[in-house]
Amino acid sequence: MSSRTNSTIRPLDPRATESYYRQIYDRFRDAIASGVLKPGDRIPSARALTQELGLSRGTIDTAYSLLAAEGYIEARGQAGTVVTPGLKPRAPVAVVPPRARGDTVAPSFRADSILPFQMGLPALDMFPRKIWARLGARHARSMQPADMANPPAFGLPGLRAQIATYLRVSRGIDCSSEQVVVTAGYRHALGLIARALLKEGDRVWLENPGYPPTRDLLGQWGVAGVPVPVDHEGIVVAEGLRLAPTARMAVVTPAHQSPLGVSLSLPRRLALLDWAADAGAWIVEDDYDGEYRYVSRPLPALKSLDGEGRVLYAGTFSKVLFPGIRLGYLVLPEAQVQRFAEVFHTFAGDTPWLTQAIAAAFVAEGHFARHIQKMRRCYAERREATIGGLKDVLGDRLRIDSPPGGMHLILRFEGRWSPEQLVARMREDGLYGEAMADWMVEGEGMPALLVSFTNIASRARAAELGTRLARLL
Amino acid sequence: MSSRTNSTIRPLDPRATESYYRQIYDRFRDAIASGVLKPGDRIPSARALTQELGLSRGTIDTAYSLLAAEGYIEARGQAGTVVTPGLKPRAPVAVVPPRARGDTVAPSFRADSILPFQMGLPALDMFPRKIWARLGARHARSMQPADMANPPAFGLPGLRAQIATYLRVSRGIDCSSEQVVVTAGYRHALGLIARALLKEGDRVWLENPGYPPTRDLLGQWGVAGVPVPVDHEGIVVAEGLRLAPTARMAVVTPAHQSPLGVSLSLPRRLALLDWAADAGAWIVEDDYDGEYRYVSRPLPALKSLDGEGRVLYAGTFSKVLFPGIRLGYLVLPEAQVQRFAEVFHTFAGDTPWLTQAIAAAFVAEGHFARHIQKMRRCYAERREATIGGLKDVLGDRLRIDSPPGGMHLILRFEGRWSPEQLVARMREDGLYGEAMADWMVEGEGMPALLVSFTNIASRARAAELGTRLARLL
């Protein structure tokens, strides 16, 4: 059903206000929408088009990534890249997040497109794809009948054991593999926690500002979020105690607060644990990027101090490996294992055997630890390069907060500017950005722009993006 | 960390009351529990042990499958089979399903072990694992940066298109790929439906008897199940109308009622659709095994008659491919697509890219359709063989219901017998079985035993199992 098409790309216009990648994107999209390119048609390889147009490979890759992310085209490995079979040439259904914030522009918070500054994505170019492919091929070939049945509800024993070992060594968590539950990621884990430990109407401390999906998801479970402010030491526990001493749970990001990047201080950690022990409340530790700290060694997890068994530790492979793997884990207090086993009977065990088997081998063979080491250096460099390149262009107009860890920067500009307007203009220009206001559970917050540095590989590239940003301000 | 161990198997006892596979299982389990075999130790290959003990390969495979399913050992492809690294030698945590039935023996309803008569499993020996491995290796190698971001919330466009095409051709469903949502299986789909269309306290018609996870899962969402009886034409719609005319939803299995195997008659289908249109109610069509019908062509899906957009069609790859893939799909009425997109913002998109990519290629290259054809013939034969073999041994003491399709049989015995007791004894003997009573939403139901025939490959094997069954009666 596929036929090789010649390039449909007319010469690009160097004087156009749109960047090259955008022009390429538009032309393919138009060709598909108008029927010039039909579902199943093969399109030129990125390499061929790079040569044909005399542009950088990165420009073509950006355009193709965007087309793929929006469902227009599909990479088929050796079979090349084709217009998505079955695609109907009309606008895709917009995924509108449910939000209580009225009519502001709602960011998607989903990393399903890849734009410059895209948040929530690791450095995709640095992932050892060849090693991954080798392990993938090996396990696809080794699948046995026993692997084809439903995976155990808590996950493959081998993967749980690898995770427990990693957490003991790297995050200071004293846990056995029986306490480890394999999940499809943080949202899945949070849903399981809500079902096992909360009931409708329960109150939960939420960091303000904080990761928006947490409040959205708990809201869908009928749980009431209590916004608790965050300062330079992390969540202000005393405020939580004042606002809602009888809350059932607190969801926190102790390593690098999301999005402010500050670490939860030791006095606050102890105060939080004391509150939980006294109130019989739960603490969810969302350790989404605890591995990535640049100024010193990673801090031990809050869970490592949890003598009373009140902390549920949620980790994810999305940031260290890649989000498309849909794999995370949850460490339960020993006394809660049986309770979760009951909930899991209807709700969990949905991670495919193959994914778990590849991940277990990746950890067991040492690739995981090596990759984290490599990425820690890479991100430190890219963070410096991004700060440098943006400063080169924007100079004193720009103030950049430099948290000790994490995967994004917080930008503030001198004078009058609207982060929401800037974000909207950035999206039109093919750039990603989020306004701090959209991370507020309550109140306006400071006017600030959040951007990721993970996929910005050089100071020159950062300066180029800074120039585009300056034009939009 | 692994060292090759010599076989720890003493000669087996042919006079023991336990079968050979059970003796092998026990000895490995004991060796692991006592520390003779340590985590990471390599155990003999099934082939080597087959030769050493002079038993059939199937016996060894059964023992190893059981050990793997319970987490004692792990297959590592070319690296052989090892005692699960990190395993602690103590009893695994029992997964106790939450049930309201008091103190009866609760079946697990999860196919995470592989025993003779195991329900919910396709014929694992017939799956084209080599083709699957080839596609898996190809896609693992072809993974691009765009594939590493979060998969689109509704699933990969290519897979959605393949599913829509398959459903149009094979199940008579007129749908576009925009209506298709990729899920992690039936339970995931039902959770999404509950969240999108139901609220706590809503009433839902449930087939009685019916698939237990449906009521368990809806119960966890605070939805009240209304048991509606099933007769030889399927769910008795008139009873539903009498008991709960204002229910918000009905969950049905029209192709082959689960577990009775009857097909929903055309008058009942039309009555059900009329009720839904009049009451503004929803119908969930759980088409878990619509492909497997042996007496005539598969019936078109109920969804194919759905002119008013009231039917949500739930399909799964668990039965046609294998449960470990954790992949299913949902076909939405066109008018509900936007509503689901809102719910999916927090709840879905959790199927890994690799799984979706392999499945899409498997369908696109025709393997899926060929496999279904092959399995239809295979199951017709195995069903006949199983009925024949059981009858050879049990003769007139046994009555077997022969529904027109599906993957299990309903056995009834003459005289006084307790299905619950028989099931408990079967489990002790390493056989799988479920009592009809455990499928009842309300009432006792007829005394009957449910067993699957999908992994019983010959009349001789069925007779052997029948002999064990006779001994337990």
Side-chain angles (χ1 to χ4, degrees), chain A residues 101-441:
Chain A
R101 296 182 56 82
D103 50 4
T104 56
V105 175
S108 79
F109 294 114
R110 293 184 306 120
D112 60 0
S113 56
I114 305 177
L115 300 176
F117 295 134
Q118 182 86 42
M119 289 178 68
L121 278 184
L124 299 178
D125 57 326
M126 299 292 287
F127 185 74
R129 277 190 279 154
K130 277 196 180 154
I131 292 172
W132 188 260
R134 182 159 49 74
L135 296 177
R138 185 199 300 166
H139 284 89
R141 278 194 299 269
S142 77
M143 184 173 76
Q144 299 298 311
D147 306 324
M148 297 166 69
N150 269 329
F154 273 28
L156 296 195
L159 178 58
R160 295 167 68 195
Q162 292 297 341
I163 292 169
T165 303
Y166 164 71
L167 292 175
R168 275 196 299 271
V169 173
S170 299
R171 309 293 296 125
I173 297 173
D174 177 29
C175 65
S176 73
S177 63
E178 278 87 359
Q179 292 169 261
V180 176
V181 176
V182 174
T183 70
Y186 172 67
R187 296 173 306 166
H188 181 215
L190 196 58
L192 292 169
I193 292 169
R195 184 43 87 188
L197 302 177
L198 299 177
K199 58 181 194 305
E200 208 165 320
D202 277 349
R203 304 179 78 195
V204 173
W205 294 4
L206 296 179
E207 295 173 332
N208 188 30
Y211 185 56
T214 299
R215 68 165 185 245
D216 289 349
L217 203 138
L218 290 175
Q220 291 224 13
W221 286 90
V223 169
V226 177
V228 178
V230 176
D231 67 14
H232 62 287
E233 286 189 65
I235 187 168
V236 185
V237 177
E239 270 301 291
L241 282 166
R242 194 180 65 79
L243 292 165
T246 60
R248 292 291 302 144
M249 186 180 280
V251 183
V252 292
T253 50
H256 313 114
Q257 200 274 333
S258 175
L260 297 178
V262 296
S263 302
L264 190 60
S265 68
L266 185 60
R268 294 270 176 90
R269 288 177 187 233
L270 298 175
L272 191 62
L273 291 166
D274 281 349
W275 163 72
D278 289 349
W282 304 106
I283 300 168
V284 176
E285 176 173 23
D286 174 11
D287 196 34
Y288 65 107
D289 71 349
E291 291 87 357
Y292 293 139
R293 190 173 178 87
Y294 315 114
V295 297
S296 58
R297 299 272 313 150
L299 302 173
L302 174 64
K303 175 75 182 162
S304 68
L305 301 171
D306 179 31
E308 304 287 322
R310 308 309 303 176
V311 178
L312 299 110
Y313 174 93
T316 178
F317 286 102
S318 286
K319 304 293 188 283
V320 175
L321 300 181
F322 52 92
I325 191 176
R326 308 312 310 132
L327 191 66
Y329 46 91
L330 191 55
V331 180
L332 306 175
E334 232 173 332
Q336 298 307 314
V337 170
Q338 182 62 37
R339 172 72 193 123
F340 274 77
E342 289 163 14
V343 166
F344 274 44
H345 174 65
T346 45
F347 274 88
D350 277 345
T351 301
W353 170 84
L354 183 60
T355 300
Q356 297 191 59
I358 300 174
F362 195 82
V363 181
E365 296 185 5
H367 307 299
F368 187 72
R370 272 192 293 279
H371 186 57
I372 289 176
Q373 289 298 334
K374 186 176 77 174
M375 295 318 291
R376 209 174 275 150
R377 289 191 300 274
C378 167
Y379 287 156
E381 287 166 16
R382 290 188 175 186
R383 199 171 77 128
E384 280 314 301
T386 304
I387 292 172
L390 291 176
K391 280 282 191 189
D392 288 346
V393 176
L394 289 150
D396 288 345
R397 291 174 64 192
L398 173 64
R399 179 172 154 194
I400 303 182
D401 285 350
S402 252
M407 298 166 69
H408 67 268
L409 299 171
I410 301 175
L411 311 186
R412 285 182 281 173
F413 299 95
E414 291 297 313
R416 280 177 59 84
W417 67 293
S418 153
E420 286 86 348
Q421 261 180 30
L422 179 59
V423 163
R425 281 190 207 138
M426 288 172 76
R427 296 288 175 98
E428 276 169 31
D429 194 51
L431 298 177
Y432 195 92
E434 294 186 15
M436 180 68 79
D438 283 316
W439 288 62
M440 296 299 291
V441 186

Side-chain angles (χ1 to χ4, degrees), chain A residues 1 65 68-69 71 74-78 84-88 90 93-98 108-112 114 121 124 127 129 132-133 136-138 140-153 157-159 161-162 176-178 184 187-188 195 200 213 216-217 220-221 321-326 334 337-338 341-355 358 364, chain B residues 1 65 68-69 71 74-78 84-86 88 90 93-98 107-112 114 121 124 127 129 132-133 136-138 140-153 157-159 161-162 176-178 184 187-188 195 200 213 216-217 220-221 321-326 334 337-338 341-355 358 364:
Chain A
M1 75 188 184
S65 296
E74 262 185 26
R76 293 241 161 155
Q78 290 164 330
T84 305
L87 183 76
K88 291 198 174 174
R90 53 154 131 156
V93 172
V95 175
V96 180
S108 79
F109 294 114
R110 293 184 306 120
D112 60 0
I114 305 177
L121 278 184
L124 299 178
F127 185 74
R129 277 190 279 154
W132 188 260
R138 185 199 300 166
R141 278 194 299 269
S142 77
M143 184 173 76
Q144 299 298 311
D147 306 324
M148 297 166 69
N150 269 329
L159 178 58
Q162 292 297 341
S176 73
S177 63
E178 278 87 359
R187 296 173 306 166
H188 181 215
R195 184 43 87 188
E200 208 165 320
D216 289 349
L217 203 138
Q220 291 224 13
W221 286 90
L321 300 181
F322 52 92
I325 191 176
R326 308 312 310 132
E334 232 173 332
V337 170
Q338 182 62 37
E342 289 163 14
V343 166
F344 274 44
H345 174 65
T346 45
F347 274 88
D350 277 345
T351 301
W353 170 84
L354 183 60
T355 300
I358 300 174
Chain B
M1 73 189 183
S65 297
E74 263 185 28
R76 292 238 161 157
Q78 288 162 331
T84 304
K88 293 198 176 174
R90 54 154 130 154
V93 171
V95 175
V96 180
S108 79
F109 293 115
R110 296 182 305 119
D112 59 2
I114 305 177
L121 278 184
L124 299 178
F127 185 73
R129 278 191 279 155
W132 188 260
R138 186 200 298 166
R141 278 193 300 268
S142 77
M143 184 174 75
Q144 299 298 311
D147 306 325
M148 296 166 71
N150 268 329
L159 178 57
Q162 293 297 341
S176 74
S177 63
E178 278 86 358
R187 295 172 307 166
H188 181 214
R195 186 41 89 190
E200 208 164 320
D216 289 349
L217 203 139
Q220 291 225 13
W221 287 91
L321 300 182
F322 53 92
I325 190 175
R326 307 314 309 136
E334 230 171 333
V337 170
Q338 182 61 37
E342 289 162 15
V343 167
F344 274 47
H345 174 64
T346 44
F347 274 86
D350 277 345
T351 301
W353 171 84
L354 183 59
T355 301
I358 301 174

